Amino acid sequence: MASAEEKNVRGASVLSSLINTLSSKSIMITDVHPEIDSGRFAVKRTVGEFFFVSSKVFKDGHDVLKVSLLWKRQDDADWHVVPMTHTNPGLDVYAGHFLLESNTYYSYTVEAWVDVWESWRDEVQKKLAVGQEVTLELLEGGMLIEEALNQAKHSDSSDKESLSEVLEKFRRGLYVEQCNILLAEDVKSLMGRWTNRSSLCRYDRILELFVDRAGASYAAWYEMFPRSQGIKPEQSATFTDCENRLPEIHALGFDVIYLVPVHPIGRTHRKGPNNTLVAGSHDPGSPYAIGAIEGGHTAIHPDLGTLDDFRHFVHTAHLYGMEVALDFAIQCSPDHPWVKESPQWFQFRPDGTIKYAENPPKKYQDIVNVDFYNSDALSLWFELLSIIYFWVAQGVKIFRVDNPHTKPLPFWEWMIREVRRQHPEVIFLSEAFTRPPMMKTLAKIGFSQSYTYFTWRNFKGDLIEYLTELTQTDVAEYMRPNFFPNTPDILPEFLQKGGRPAFMIRFILAATLSPVYGIYNGFELCENEGVPHKEEYLNSEKYTYKVWDWERPGNIKSLITAVNRVRRENAALRELKNLRFHTVHDENVLFYSKITVDYSNMILVAVTLDPFDTHECMIEIPLDYMGLSTHENYLVKDLLSGEKHLWNGVQHRVHLDPYTNPALILHVLPWPQVDFESPSW
Amino acid sequence: MASAEEKNVRGASVLSSLINTLSSKSIMITDVHPEIDSGRFAVKRTVGEFFFVSSKVFKDGHDVLKVSLLWKRQDDADWHVVPMTHTNPGLDVYAGHFLLESNTYYSYTVEAWVDVWESWRDEVQKKLAVGQEVTLELLEGGMLIEEALNQAKHSDSSDKESLSEVLEKFRRGLYVEQCNILLAEDVKSLMGRWTNRSSLCRYDRILELFVDRAGASYAAWYEMFPRSQGIKPEQSATFTDCENRLPEIHALGFDVIYLVPVHPIGRTHRKGPNNTLVAGSHDPGSPYAIGAIEGGHTAIHPDLGTLDDFRHFVHTAHLYGMEVALDFAIQCSPDHPWVKESPQWFQFRPDGTIKYAENPPKKYQDIVNVDFYNSDALSLWFELLSIIYFWVAQGVKIFRVDNPHTKPLPFWEWMIREVRRQHPEVIFLSEAFTRPPMMKTLAKIGFSQSYTYFTWRNFKGDLIEYLTELTQTDVAEYMRPNFFPNTPDILPEFLQKGGRPAFMIRFILAATLSPVYGIYNGFELCENEGVPHKEEYLNSEKYTYKVWDWERPGNIKSLITAVNRVRRENAALRELKNLRFHTVHDENVLFYSKITVDYSNMILVAVTLDPFDTHECMIEIPLDYMGLSTHENYLVKDLLSGEKHLWNGVQHRVHLDPYTNPALILHVLPWPQVDFESPSW
């Protein structure tokens, strides 16, 4: 047993080391922003952006603090160091930024230390300013130079000569000279490199950032049902038919063609038209019942063509500057090869069957699910990962993931990180129409983009509240909305009831509120025949063959083309966080702006939310926010109609007709900046 | 070197264990509230309160989750477990609470698991409700019972007999019977104890809570300058004089008597009247220049008496039900014994002097500061701790800490925790009139109460904004405001200019907005002679002897007595977070409520903020918020004037005169609840 004395000694040494530890924490570094859930998840950004970091940094007393932002890419050996500036001294806020140049994971954190020299300098300057005498302070300053010189001595830096020169001159100088020597700016920068940093403190956590390629944050998606792209009734289209549509879709201005599953479809319990339980012998079944004798998640449905045909389709899309996205739906028909090859991945029931998918009382008899935590989970997780690698090898870099919220979060977090390690360019879109915490968590754990509640947000208050959350809160740090006004599963009531005007309104909202949006084919034709009292398509192509007339009268293709062109030509519309809502004196009109940080591109959008009636109302131009003065003239051009106005002041009357002009997309330019030579004016 | 195969095997086993780890994280437990800075700091509560914890808990799929709140006191060996209820299923919110009975540190966290049995039961019930057949499900239910029985078998619990009985009956039963047996409520509770919890997940962090004694969150403080409590001019009062004032201060309704430093005062560089540099031989000096030949921080100034006299004073205060608080000012006069005994605690300058305190260009020549990180810091930190222990032994359990923001945060965090380990009843008040991040951090690291910006918040918008931050945000989880309208250093402009009405207004605000408040002696006399153009007292007693006439005409002692009585009699005024502001149609009138959670005590306060003129205006009684219906009669009694009104509806006119009735403190009771037998009506 330890004697009392020994215990005391031991206690003392513990406390002594505690004091050392604590003293390395004497500077508080807090409120580092952005940071998600205490650093548990990575922040999202896009290549080409500046990354801005702020922190509150403070310490007892009046010392001058120096604060640095440290960052490195996944493969960098050392930290890059960016000085942070004291942007809000009243709240102890420091800020710094750097350019994001690589599509990869980054780390970042914050460091701070007392700048002994600047603290000394600051004090002396304050005293001199009120005529106080600083003889002792000068002596102390000389000692600091001496100390720095001792540091520098052991280096190769030429600073040692400079410091030594300063010290010489200081020692020879008289009072006023000494003041001038020590307070000189070049001595300040010299000392900035050599004063001791024994007070160096680092923020508790190293934070993570994932930087996507540009396509993750700006794109127009076109969702395509491949087997419905042909012209022969009652039979499946092929990838050749799909390819024939590429010129048109490219002309409409889309960037991504997303295909619902293209794999063989099971025959057991195949669904008939309108989701009926019994399929006729000619019914094609739901493409979400994946897997049959012909193969599973890496096979192509023979009716669509071969893997070579698929690759040809992808290649042709690339020639048009478009990408192909695939559906990643981890569900199997009972005929999926896995059931025979890896039965251990499934849970069998007492009668020897595999339980089909259910959400009681709903039943999905054509689908069985794998068990992610089965005893052989390892091989299952790797198999799923390998599916992604397989399609990446075929040129697919975007995956729309079906119902990720019904699969374990740890699986996604692991899988997405694994994929990004080799293929940081891969984009995952989370289709999780579920409760907010799960929807947000899927975004946090790595999904690049997310389906949202936009699909059901139709009216002014709801839209403002939801878009404010998506663009002006921490949600914008990790979740990129991909606004879909319709999907194969969802034909919202607003589109069913509002007809063509509703399609125009919802399209303009999706494409101008969010830099990433998509439509599901048929939207451009204003297809709105629903199952009565349900938000579902009647005779959905999910269960049948379908032939569309892509030039059907009443289509809104010219509007789509125009809006996609406007998006391409206006940088402000390619950003998310710059959305702001402004005053319009009508409860059915939404008025908002998107403005680039340098004011070089200023877009105002006024959209009616009423698909039935015209609205004439006053909008209030946010002059201050746009950097315009009250009496300045500015030119306004409606990018949809081409009409121009010379405006002045805040209040302006607008007229919106849901049938002819449901929205104004106004490009604003201060009069002196208008270049009438430019074709856009 | 490892072969490729070995590497694969090793890789596989790493991944396998990764999957196990990840699967133990398949339930997301997030947004635990309250939590301060990712659990870095302890939440504050008071003995006798319920502690409410909420969390968002969710998982992929449709399983039924069980969520528990775990808590233990510092000395408890095991967790106490409280089931959390699903209070907001749409947002996956679970909540639970428990009673705080001990003045100590608590820990808490959240656990969740899939309730396999309830998930099964839920599914079967949904299917039966729509007439689906459940034969297979019953077989699976039987298997779950069997599994539970296997668990229970190895226990002493009588549940094993019950489970085995259920299983017997189930095996003998037919379909309908089997349904009834397995869905029975008692089987549900039985299975709640025995189904496997292999999915158990625990929140990432264990959070901390410090529960103070009641005095930390409710008290009226009276700040006393001991040497000014006597009747003989030009000489120091004694503790006996101080003791003579106790009956009066007790009658005014105060709970805490806080004394500015009572220690020997240095002679070197002693300050003269009005902070002049040269003291006359009879000038007493600032009590903040602590330490002289007679002793330091554990000594009593001989002019005030002996340690025994001090103890007698403390004892007498206790007899009146009052506590004594001391000033803990870690600063020394150049004559402090430490300078000779432990010179290593100080930083010496090139001329051999110790640097006096400065905040350039301000100089505090009578004060020198210790260096908290000197080479012998260990002994300094312990010495400072021992000072607290010394005074605790004399019966002092409250310390007002002078300028804690000029000493290292790690020191305070360590010291306060050390003290609480032995003396959890000790209360520390942080006097940090500094920038918000430091003020808040001092509260976070442990200070029980904090001085605030209330001292300078005079007008409606400022007061609403600041009080909303203090009471309705996370700040209320860790910072307890102690509202002082004046201090020896601060005579705010509002009091200087507004005279007696201003004193009444500021008093009522302090005492009704915050459950903890204090005044510095002289306030009750409306002393408001300031140094011109400064917020300082002219002829401050900090530097001179002073004799007060405690019955001076124009004093507001009757108002103080009345308001302190009202605070004592109305539980609603003893809470902080129940403050809400309500509509009053006058920009110089503040209208707010404090209501207990059970509506048993409802107080409305209307205060004019204008010390010059009368205001007559409409207040809007928040009927909904008070649980009153629109046409209900309610009795309103002004607790200051005693006037009663029978009111009905929202709008009521009030008349406020800063000279006679600057405020209404209305006690509201629905008519049916009025007990006219009670003396209060």
Side-chain angles (χ1 to χ4, degrees), chain B residues 535-603:
Chain B
E535 295 206 317
E536 289 173 18
Y537 282 92
L538 189 67
N539 303 321
S540 165
E541 58 191 349
K542 275 177 75 177
Y543 311 103
T544 52
Y545 295 115
K546 185 152 196 160
V547 172
W548 292 92
D549 170 7
W550 301 109
E551 300 300 331
R552 196 163 89 178
N555 72 63
I556 57 166
K557 288 165 66 177
S558 66
L559 175 72
I560 291 172
T561 309
V563 172
N564 278 337
R565 181 182 39 74
V566 167
R567 281 165 51 93
R568 228 173 268 272
E569 292 172 357
N570 290 278
L573 291 173
R574 300 200 292 269
E575 293 178 26
L576 176 69
K577 297 185 200 172
N578 62 348
L579 177 70
R580 295 291 182 285
F581 292 98
H582 305 290
T583 304
V584 47
H585 298 275
D586 188 317
E587 276 313 293
N588 283 313
V589 177
L590 199 63
F591 180 44
Y592 48 94
S593 69
K594 290 212 162 182
I595 296 178
T596 53
V597 68
D598 61 358
Y599 301 98
S600 66
N601 185 229
M602 303 200 284
I603 300 291

Side-chain angles (χ1 to χ4, degrees), chain B residues 389-425:
Chain B
Y389 287 150
F390 176 85
W391 292 111
V392 167
Q394 317 310 320
V396 176
K397 303 298 179 86
I398 308 183
F399 297 88
R400 175 272 198 194
V401 177
D402 189 71
N403 278 336
H405 58 291
T406 61
K407 288 94 195 168
L409 290 163
F411 167 73
W412 295 121
E413 187 167 13
W414 168 79
M415 196 204 77
I416 293 174
R417 189 176 281 269
E418 281 299 307
V419 171
R420 282 191 179 143
R421 209 143 52 163
Q422 294 186 41
H423 299 288
E425 73 281 12

